[in-house]
Amino acid sequence: MNSTLRHYALWFFGALTLTLTPLLQGQTKRPLDLETVTYGGKTFRSDFYPQPVYGLAWLQSGYTYTVEPGDYGREGLSSLRSLRVYTPTRAQEQTVLTQGELVQLLKPYDDTDKLYPLIAYDFTPQCHYLEVELSKGLYLIDVEQKLIVGYFATGDTEKRASLLSPNERNLAVKSEEGTLLIYTLQPAGSKPQAPTLVATDEAEAAVVYGESVHQNEFGIDGGLFWSPDSRQLAFYRMDQSMVAPYPIVDMTPHKAVVQPVRYPMAGSPSHHVTLGVFHLENQQTTYLETGGDPEHYLTNVAWHPNSQKVYIAELNRGQDHLFLNGYDVQTGARTETLFEETDAHYVEPQRPMMFVPGSRGEQFVWESRREGYRQLYLYSSTGKLIRKLTDMEGEVTDIYGFDPKGERIYFQAAYPSPLERHIFASELKRGRTIQLSKVAGTHEATFSPDKQYYIDQLQSATIARSVMLHDCNGLQLRLIHQAPDPWRKLDMPNITVGTLLAADGKTELYYRLITPSHFDEMKEYPTIVYVYGGPHAQLVTNTPQWGASGWDLYMAQQGYIIFTLDNRGSAQRGAAFEQVIHRQVGTAEMADQMKGVEYLKSLPYVDRNRIGVYGWSFGGFMTTNLILTHPETFKVGVAGGPVMDWSRYEIMYGERYNDAPQDNPEGYQKNNLIERAKDLKGRLLLIHGTSDNVVVWQHAQAFVKACVDAKTYPDLYYYPGHKHNVIGPDRVHLNYVITRYFLEHL
């Protein structure tokens, strides 16, 4: 631990713990209820969620926001709603467009009865125009000039995905019908022009075009990529014909229907992905000659600034060898391999290469974890490393981009504390990194198009929400919004954060302990361990309530202690911390969680005979594993969407952490919970969405069948039509079911 982090940790944690005391002690406070603390509950936004700034975004001239936002529906639509712009260079603010003006602008061309409030719409990625979608198409609105720039005549086409070209003149659309189309901007009111057809999916989704691939792993969040000159569209083509359709049953119609998905399970054949480039000029498609193993992963697509090359981070199916390859988009031929990365465990690329502005495509920045933490590296276009830009014992968590001259790159990182997120700038020529945000907490930045300013949204355990305008050097120029504390009138519990040692005896782990508001150390309390424990998730953070969910807080009010520990394998602690789970998923995680339980049992106010555990997804796997392995400790468990057999989980995630079942049979066998159904002794409630396409329902069903055979007795609850998470108003129902189970059995 370096001196800065050591100093920070000593200040932050003191004697390893920091206890929060509810505000306004002595006053009568309202008790918590599930409608208030649950996202989707009737009073969640009004009484529990820190008030945001609605419609906050950047235009070229300044940042915008809406006033009088009301709700997200059309009821009570008022012309008082307006869009305001603040111009930092003049320190002036003005109203540029009202809801009534928007209605009058669009009424001659479309049905404005379907117009939603201003907060429902976004600006184009280039920060020029407001995007408004109505029945005839997508309109681009110049809000400052109060005019319609044009519209894309998409009509009633239902979209799976869409992407606007950099020049804002073409719109690529993947329709629900399976067609990949390009629409051209045309004057409002003009006769709709037919779109250009790029490709059409094959029957039963055997081959699909223009959609996200590889189960959205490796940072992939879409399948469309416009060239910088807007004259070519790159797109994924995914051949899934070798992946057997998996039956997801929709139970909402009178007669249930099958909605099959192509779900590649670990150790089974995987889909084959290629990348096509459609040329608008001749309306022809060139497919890149990626070659090699057809089951490799094509990730993190990037265009060269001259629009003549495309680069792909190509990863073998074993996920331990990456090639950064370049291709000629006219011929499809591979032109170069800039460099390779290997790792004894796995390589996990998350972002495309980023070309430096002003370098004429001769320099780019690459993010890599090769030295233990995700850091930034500056390269020449030939693949030669120029310098390492960041050198922190912390992960880069987001990248905001370059200033126009290419002198700085702005980013977010989990540093100096992994519990926080701060905003940084790195100077490309000197490799010097500057921390722009200073206040403890979690900072999220939105930069102006010219990178001269940014809006900082700050939240922490003591700050509900603070929104500030800064210049590019971190100087605060304006307080935009300070949300009132929504919890000051509620009967909130006490929260303590601290550290304890992992099962390896040397790694510090962060925990959160929640006790009832009227806590009495002389009493013993039933305790629930809330767990996730897997990669890509961090539960203990310096955000409101230290990252605790509303349900955690509610259960503390019901007289429970709620304990959460981020074990080895979880996010934002670097490669070594995460990769300890490789080929033995569940082993180190379980050992660390039991160290947390050991700590709980050392506390005089924890009832050792009344300890429960609850988690969802990977946390559902952990919950089931813990109650099967340690029945002497855990009396009750609730497992939501649990993975019961990793060989039935998808290839990309499953094989990264556990390798293929053929290569690691011991690892899969050790944590196959279906084969351990006979070990169930406590009360275990399984909850699953019947349409879950992430952890398919078969996991829970197979476990129940094994329990029937073994004459053990779990309890079951299913949510028809829900996928991997129960969302919307039904989440209140879910939280009630879970609460009732613990109240009855723990």
mmCIF file of all heavy atoms in Angstrom, residues 96-113:
data_model
loop_
_atom_site.group_PDB
_atom_site.id
_atom_site.type_symbol
_atom_site.label_atom_id
_atom_site.label_comp_id
_atom_site.label_asym_id
_atom_site.label_seq_id
_atom_site.Cartn_x
_atom_site.Cartn_y
_atom_site.Cartn_z
ATOM 1 N N VAL A 96 -34.536 27.672 -23.589
ATOM 2 C CA VAL A 96 -34.419 27.597 -25.053
ATOM 3 C C VAL A 96 -35.629 26.941 -25.704
ATOM 4 O O VAL A 96 -35.907 27.170 -26.879
ATOM 5 C CB VAL A 96 -33.140 26.849 -25.471
ATOM 6 C CG1 VAL A 96 -31.901 27.654 -25.099
ATOM 7 C CG2 VAL A 96 -33.086 25.453 -24.874
ATOM 8 N N LEU A 97 -36.347 26.089 -24.953
ATOM 9 C CA LEU A 97 -37.498 25.411 -25.554
ATOM 10 C C LEU A 97 -38.445 24.968 -24.457
ATOM 11 O O LEU A 97 -38.022 24.381 -23.466
ATOM 12 C CB LEU A 97 -37.027 24.185 -26.351
ATOM 13 C CG LEU A 97 -38.086 23.457 -27.192
ATOM 14 C CD1 LEU A 97 -38.503 24.325 -28.379
ATOM 15 C CD2 LEU A 97 -37.557 22.118 -27.674
ATOM 16 N N THR A 98 -39.721 25.262 -24.619
ATOM 17 C CA THR A 98 -40.732 24.797 -23.678
ATOM 18 C C THR A 98 -41.464 23.604 -24.283
ATOM 19 O O THR A 98 -41.416 23.359 -25.489
ATOM 20 C CB THR A 98 -41.749 25.893 -23.352
ATOM 21 O OG1 THR A 98 -42.520 26.170 -24.527
ATOM 22 C CG2 THR A 98 -41.068 27.163 -22.867
ATOM 23 N N GLN A 99 -42.180 22.901 -23.414
ATOM 24 C CA GLN A 99 -42.965 21.765 -23.897
ATOM 25 C C GLN A 99 -44.004 22.233 -24.912
ATOM 26 O O GLN A 99 -44.221 21.586 -25.939
ATOM 27 C CB GLN A 99 -43.655 21.077 -22.716
ATOM 28 C CG GLN A 99 -44.355 19.780 -23.069
ATOM 29 C CD GLN A 99 -43.395 18.623 -23.209
ATOM 30 O OE1 GLN A 99 -42.374 18.592 -22.547
ATOM 31 N NE2 GLN A 99 -43.716 17.671 -24.066
ATOM 32 N N GLY A 100 -44.613 23.370 -24.647
ATOM 33 C CA GLY A 100 -45.610 23.895 -25.574
ATOM 34 C C GLY A 100 -45.007 24.234 -26.928
ATOM 35 O O GLY A 100 -45.614 23.982 -27.984
ATOM 36 N N GLU A 101 -43.808 24.821 -26.935
ATOM 37 C CA GLU A 101 -43.144 25.141 -28.203
ATOM 38 C C GLU A 101 -42.787 23.876 -28.971
ATOM 39 O O GLU A 101 -42.870 23.841 -30.215
ATOM 40 C CB GLU A 101 -41.898 25.974 -27.937
ATOM 41 C CG GLU A 101 -42.194 27.393 -27.473
ATOM 42 C CD GLU A 101 -40.946 28.129 -27.013
ATOM 43 O OE1 GLU A 101 -39.971 27.468 -26.589
ATOM 44 O OE2 GLU A 101 -40.951 29.383 -27.060
ATOM 45 N N LEU A 102 -42.401 22.831 -28.255
ATOM 46 C CA LEU A 102 -42.081 21.570 -28.919
ATOM 47 C C LEU A 102 -43.334 20.986 -29.569
ATOM 48 O O LEU A 102 -43.269 20.468 -30.705
ATOM 49 C CB LEU A 102 -41.490 20.592 -27.899
ATOM 50 C CG LEU A 102 -41.035 19.236 -28.448
ATOM 51 C CD1 LEU A 102 -39.936 19.416 -29.495
ATOM 52 C CD2 LEU A 102 -40.553 18.321 -27.319
ATOM 53 N N VAL A 103 -44.460 21.062 -28.880
ATOM 54 C CA VAL A 103 -45.725 20.587 -29.450
ATOM 55 C C VAL A 103 -46.060 21.359 -30.726
ATOM 56 O O VAL A 103 -46.387 20.765 -31.760
ATOM 57 C CB VAL A 103 -46.861 20.705 -28.423
ATOM 58 C CG1 VAL A 103 -48.215 20.461 -29.086
ATOM 59 C CG2 VAL A 103 -46.651 19.740 -27.269
ATOM 60 N N GLN A 104 -45.961 22.666 -30.675
ATOM 61 C CA GLN A 104 -46.285 23.484 -31.855
ATOM 62 C C GLN A 104 -45.320 23.228 -33.004
ATOM 63 O O GLN A 104 -45.707 23.277 -34.175
ATOM 64 C CB GLN A 104 -46.268 24.970 -31.471
ATOM 65 C CG GLN A 104 -47.360 25.375 -30.497
ATOM 66 C CD GLN A 104 -48.752 25.003 -30.993
ATOM 67 O OE1 GLN A 104 -49.107 25.279 -32.147
ATOM 68 N NE2 GLN A 104 -49.532 24.375 -30.123
ATOM 69 N N LEU A 105 -44.101 22.926 -32.681
ATOM 70 C CA LEU A 105 -43.092 22.662 -33.710
ATOM 71 C C LEU A 105 -43.404 21.372 -34.462
ATOM 72 O O LEU A 105 -43.262 21.293 -35.693
ATOM 73 C CB LEU A 105 -41.722 22.570 -33.030
ATOM 74 C CG LEU A 105 -40.465 22.772 -33.872
ATOM 75 C CD1 LEU A 105 -40.461 24.142 -34.542
ATOM 76 C CD2 LEU A 105 -39.227 22.632 -32.982
ATOM 77 N N LEU A 106 -43.856 20.353 -33.744
ATOM 78 C CA LEU A 106 -44.041 19.033 -34.343
ATOM 79 C C LEU A 106 -45.469 18.775 -34.816
ATOM 80 O O LEU A 106 -45.699 17.882 -35.639
ATOM 81 C CB LEU A 106 -43.647 17.954 -33.331
ATOM 82 C CG LEU A 106 -42.154 17.878 -33.005
ATOM 83 C CD1 LEU A 106 -41.916 17.045 -31.750
ATOM 84 C CD2 LEU A 106 -41.393 17.275 -34.184
ATOM 85 N N LYS A 107 -46.431 19.544 -34.314
ATOM 86 C CA LYS A 107 -47.846 19.275 -34.589
ATOM 87 C C LYS A 107 -48.187 19.244 -36.072
ATOM 88 O O LYS A 107 -48.993 18.404 -36.513
ATOM 89 C CB LYS A 107 -48.713 20.314 -33.869
ATOM 90 C CG LYS A 107 -50.172 19.910 -33.731
ATOM 91 C CD LYS A 107 -50.893 20.849 -32.791
ATOM 92 C CE LYS A 107 -52.307 20.364 -32.529
ATOM 93 N NZ LYS A 107 -53.014 21.225 -31.556
ATOM 94 N N PRO A 108 -47.594 20.098 -36.916
ATOM 95 C CA PRO A 108 -47.939 20.031 -38.347
ATOM 96 C C PRO A 108 -47.474 18.754 -39.031
ATOM 97 O O PRO A 108 -47.928 18.458 -40.150
ATOM 98 C CB PRO A 108 -47.209 21.244 -38.931
ATOM 99 C CG PRO A 108 -46.958 22.155 -37.783
ATOM 100 C CD PRO A 108 -46.739 21.253 -36.614
ATOM 101 N N TYR A 109 -46.592 17.990 -38.387
ATOM 102 C CA TYR A 109 -45.978 16.853 -39.076
ATOM 103 C C TYR A 109 -46.317 15.500 -38.471
ATOM 104 O O TYR A 109 -46.146 14.479 -39.134
ATOM 105 C CB TYR A 109 -44.451 17.023 -39.074
ATOM 106 C CG TYR A 109 -43.999 18.344 -39.609
ATOM 107 C CD1 TYR A 109 -43.486 19.322 -38.758
ATOM 108 C CD2 TYR A 109 -44.110 18.639 -40.969
ATOM 109 C CE1 TYR A 109 -43.067 20.540 -39.252
ATOM 110 C CE2 TYR A 109 -43.702 19.861 -41.468
ATOM 111 C CZ TYR A 109 -43.179 20.809 -40.607
ATOM 112 O OH TYR A 109 -42.779 22.030 -41.099
ATOM 113 N N ASP A 110 -46.786 15.465 -37.237
ATOM 114 C CA ASP A 110 -46.963 14.166 -36.590
ATOM 115 C C ASP A 110 -47.989 14.272 -35.468
ATOM 116 O O ASP A 110 -48.450 15.375 -35.126
ATOM 117 C CB ASP A 110 -45.629 13.647 -36.039
ATOM 118 C CG ASP A 110 -45.487 12.137 -36.155
ATOM 119 O OD1 ASP A 110 -46.465 11.436 -35.888
ATOM 120 O OD2 ASP A 110 -44.388 11.675 -36.515
ATOM 121 N N ASP A 111 -48.304 13.138 -34.897
ATOM 122 C CA ASP A 111 -49.281 13.058 -33.822
ATOM 123 C C ASP A 111 -48.610 13.413 -32.500
ATOM 124 O O ASP A 111 -47.910 12.597 -31.900
ATOM 125 C CB ASP A 111 -49.860 11.642 -33.759
ATOM 126 C CG ASP A 111 -50.899 11.488 -32.661
ATOM 127 O OD1 ASP A 111 -51.283 12.515 -32.062
ATOM 128 O OD2 ASP A 111 -51.327 10.340 -32.414
ATOM 129 N N THR A 112 -48.834 14.625 -32.040
ATOM 130 C CA THR A 112 -48.173 15.081 -30.812
ATOM 131 C C THR A 112 -48.883 14.579 -29.555
ATOM 132 O O THR A 112 -48.405 14.818 -28.442
ATOM 133 C CB THR A 112 -48.102 16.620 -30.775
ATOM 134 O OG1 THR A 112 -49.402 17.170 -30.976
ATOM 135 C CG2 THR A 112 -47.166 17.133 -31.853
ATOM 136 N N ASP A 113 -50.020 13.870 -29.722
ATOM 137 C CA ASP A 113 -50.638 13.257 -28.547
ATOM 138 C C ASP A 113 -49.719 12.201 -27.949
ATOM 139 O O ASP A 113 -49.871 11.828 -26.782
ATOM 140 C CB ASP A 113 -51.974 12.609 -28.933
ATOM 141 C CG ASP A 113 -53.057 13.650 -29.200
ATOM 142 O OD1 ASP A 113 -52.879 14.808 -28.765
ATOM 143 O OD2 ASP A 113 -54.055 13.318 -29.861
#
